[in-house]
Amino acid sequence: MSDRAPRLPRVSTDPGFRVDHVATVAIGLPAERYDSLPSREAFYRRAFESIRAVPGVIEVGVAVVVPLTGNHWTASFNRTGHPVPPGERAPLVGWQVASGGYFKALGIPLKAGRFFDERDRPGNPPGVIISESLGRQFFGTENPIGTTINDGDERIEIVGVVGDIRRAGLAEEPRPDLYFPFERSPSQGITLFIRTEGDPALARPGIQAALRSVEPNVVIQSPRSMAEIASDSVQVTRLMLWLLGIFALIALVLAAVGIYGVISYLIRQRTREIGTRLALGASRSTILWMVMRRGALIVGTGATIGLVVGLVAARTLESMLYGVSAADPLVVAGAMAVLILTALAGCYVPARRAASVDPAITLTVS
């Protein structure tokens, strides 16, 4: 894989976390050597210490789900003391297993309470972190910190509230999310999230060496930066928008050619009239203005109809747009201006030709 830093995707939508200077590495531990909880705890404790010692590394965390990869995993949300009415199902919310360092590595802001830490290890009361939108939806103005939710027969205390993120993709609105502590049950396979001072690609060799110094047989897969993941997440949309842009340009050219043809035809139909006007003393500027006015009427009518139809059709593209409205006034005004100016330019040539007609020739045309 190239060490060249990828260009960040040019979208105005805030994913809720930082994608710059973050490396991701999926790892897997040998099952026969790490089949117990204490062995896995020991590995991750040593691995985190070794990675933090790599030059340029600022923070390291882990999580099951990599953001912006289309994940839609959900779990039932059951608040203690608020039973689900008979015949109804508990609401579904997104879920994630993450360490405290995950939030710090991605820059997900802490809104209340705390991140996961040593207090969330096995043997201590279980805790969970919720997203800001989940707090608004299920707690309103009530402070959720210290309240509990039900996970089967177990009650879990809410210990923190973090900012919303677009977990599945940039086109997805932030959803209510639950975060369970990785510290409580570290698994054999996980994804590391490592914040670096500079280009994450430059830190990859050191990170891989640090992991193998702790466990030589560790499986290292898919070393990528969050910037690469974010860029890939909009590749399909970017391609579709390029194609739409090409089609729009073709449509614009066809519209100009069509208007030119219509105006030329109208002028040929009025050749004798134009010659008569010139013979009776009409100036060439008057003829030019007459033809341009007819063209402007056609363009204005078509632009008005096109604007109405376009605004209706644009609603189907809203899911592909990031940070802008399908009816953004500046975008609509710019498109209208380009179309009108192009069409009027298409009218100018036949208008100028009409103004240059020789009356002696036109009056003899049958």
Side-chain angles (χ1 to χ4, degrees):
M1 184 175 295
S2 174
D3 287 341
R4 182 180 178 183
R7 181 179 297 178
L8 298 181
R10 297 181 61 184
V11 293
S12 59
T13 299
D14 180 10
F17 57 89
R18 294 177 58 187
V19 301
D20 59 311
H21 303 302
V22 177
T24 69
V25 182
I27 64 171
L29 303 180
E32 67 280 0
R33 294 191 56 185
Y34 296 93
D35 58 352
S36 67
L37 181 60
S39 64
R40 296 194 295 271
E41 283 187 306
F43 168 81
Y44 286 110
R45 183 168 56 253
R46 293 173 56 199
F48 289 173
E49 292 175 356
S50 182
I51 292 173
R52 289 192 181 100
V54 174
V57 170
I58 300 174
E59 186 60 68
V60 57
V62 296
V64 171
V65 178
V66 178
L68 304 182
T69 55
N71 175 270
H72 287 282
W73 294 349
T74 58
S76 298
F77 180 80
N78 294 281
R79 182 181 175 187
T80 304
H82 294 74
V84 179
E88 296 185 13
R89 298 179 58 183
L92 297 177
V93 298
W95 68 270
Q96 166 77 292
V97 176
S99 70
Y102 165 81
F103 303 100
K104 299 174 184 177
L106 287 182
I108 300 175
L110 180 67
K111 300 296 184 177
R114 63 175 177 85
F115 291 132
F116 296 134
D117 54 30
E118 293 297 317
R119 287 169 285 184
D120 299 290
R121 296 181 59 188
N124 295 328
V128 69
I129 290 175
I130 65 174
S131 67
E132 197 172 16
S133 62
L134 189 147
R136 287 193 302 267
Q137 181 174 340
F138 295 102
F139 294 90
T141 58
E142 179 184 353
N143 182 10
I145 302 299
T147 60
T148 60
I149 64 174
N150 298 330
D151 184 17
D153 296 330
E154 189 176 35
R155 289 189 177 184
I156 306 178
E157 180 183 351
I158 297 176
V159 298
V161 179
V162 295
D164 294 331
I165 70 169
R166 298 175 187 265
R167 182 164 51 91
L170 290 172
E172 298 283 342
E173 289 298 321
R175 300 183 178 185
D177 280 327
L178 281 174
Y179 296 90
F180 296 95
F182 174 81
E183 288 82 353
R184 189 168 185 80
S185 182
S187 59
Q188 294 176 341
I190 203 73
T191 298
L192 300 173
F193 294 79
I194 304 159
R195 172 158 293 281
T196 62
E197 292 179 351
D199 183 359
L202 300 179
R204 285 174 188 163
I207 293 170
Q208 295 182 11
L211 288 168
R212 298 200 186 280
S213 70
V214 178
E215 173 49 64
N217 295 320
V218 64
V219 178
I220 300 175
Q221 298 177 320
S222 306
R224 307 175 69 198
S225 70
M226 276 305 304
E228 290 174 309
I229 294 171
S231 179
D232 289 347
S233 72
V234 296
Q235 283 290 354
V236 174
T237 299
R238 186 180 292 119
L239 175 61
M240 293 179 65
L241 292 178
W242 267 103
L243 291 175
L244 285 174
I246 293 173
F247 293 151
L249 180 60
I250 293 173
L252 187 63
V253 173
L254 291 176
V257 171
I259 291 175
Y260 177 85
V262 170
I263 297 298
S264 296
Y265 174 76
L266 291 176
I267 292 173
R268 287 197 300 272
Q269 295 295 104
R270 302 177 64 182
T271 300
R272 292 181 63 83
E273 176 192 344
I274 292 173
T276 301
R277 289 177 179 269
L278 290 172
L280 294 176
S283 66
R284 299 188 184 278
S285 61
T286 301
I287 300 300
L288 181 64
W289 168 246
M290 179 187 70
V291 176
M292 287 294 293
R293 184 174 55 189
R294 175 61 64 90
L297 178 62
I298 296 174
V299 171
T301 302
T304 302
I305 297 174
L307 176 62
V308 175
V309 174
L311 290 177
V312 174
R315 295 182 180 275
T316 62
L317 301 177
E318 286 183 335
S319 62
M320 299 170 55
L321 302 177
Y322 303 136
V324 296
S325 167
D328 184 271
L330 292 178
V331 174
V332 173
M336 288 286 291
V338 170
L339 179 60
I340 291 174
L341 290 176
T342 303
L344 290 178
C347 297
Y348 177 76
V349 173
R352 183 177 179 182
R353 182 180 301 170
S356 301
V357 169
D358 186 348
I361 296 177
T362 59
L363 290 177
T364 62
V365 177
S366 58

